[in-house]
Amino acid sequence: GESVGLHLPTLSVQEGDNSIINCAYSNSASDYFIWYKQESGKGPQFIIDIRSNMDKRQGQRVTVLLNKTVKHLSLQIAATQPGDSAVYFCAESSSGTYKYIFGTGTRLKVLA
Amino acid sequence: KAGVTQTPRYLIKTRGQQVTLSCSPISGHRSVSWYQQTPGQGLQFLFEYFSETQRNKGNFPGRFSGRQFSNSRSEMNVSTLELGDSALYLCASKDHDNEQFFGPGTRLTVL
């Protein structure tokens, strides 16, 4: 499959445990944030997003937390499953720029 | 609805050649963005088009160009290819909301 990053930080978690993936963003003007999941050989897949007027948003098994004070974003995955193994990227955007800036990515490995 | 499609999926070129990659967005999506993904630099924004107009571009040399057609399909072109242009080129489309949908990418290898 495609290699999306040879030197990515790796998070290894036991199946069934919760995972927390962190991301520091750079632009204090960013007002929209997204988490993507990328599996080998595929393009990034949208997981969840959050706007800057919120500090928490929940989806199915996933929660995104936003701390604008320290420019930090996190993705929490509950009851991690083998199918969650992938590379996870955060991305930021600011209104009117029409561009997304991606973080370096974190590889999540789920141990059986 | 069909997803974002990109052609070709794989391409091998030699230094100095040029290449054109194609992207068909999801039906109804008018915004198309292009990204370059490499192990060393990660995902980097190339440009974004909306209704045939480029609204923003990233920090890439002029050898990288793109365009969008009236049916929202987009192409990107890289001229005078260099070894460092080897990468996965991703296209993403979106509608009026911010959620971007990515295609599978075109893997370009420059020899």
Side-chain angles (χ1 to χ4, degrees), chain B residues 49-90:
Chain B
Y49 290 90
F50 181 86
S51 292
E52 302 178 68
T53 300
Q54 185 183 89
R55 296 195 294 190
N56 205 343
K57 62 181 298 220
N59 257 352
F60 280 83
R63 301 184 297 107
F64 291 80
S65 63
R67 59 178 175 168
Q68 187 181 34
F69 303 94
S70 58
N71 62 357
S72 294
R73 192 178 68 84
S74 177
E75 288 180 347
M76 67 162 282
N77 184 275
V78 188
S79 62
T80 320
L81 283 165
E82 300 176 1
L83 294 178
D85 297 333
S86 294
L88 181 67
Y89 290 89
L90 290 158

Side-chain angles (χ1 to χ4, degrees), chain A residues 62-79:
Chain A
V62 294
T63 300
V64 56
L65 299 177
L66 174 63
N67 185 329
K68 294 181 287 295
T69 304
V70 294
K71 293 191 285 189
H72 183 268
L73 196 64
S74 69
L75 176 70
Q76 300 177 2
I77 304 173

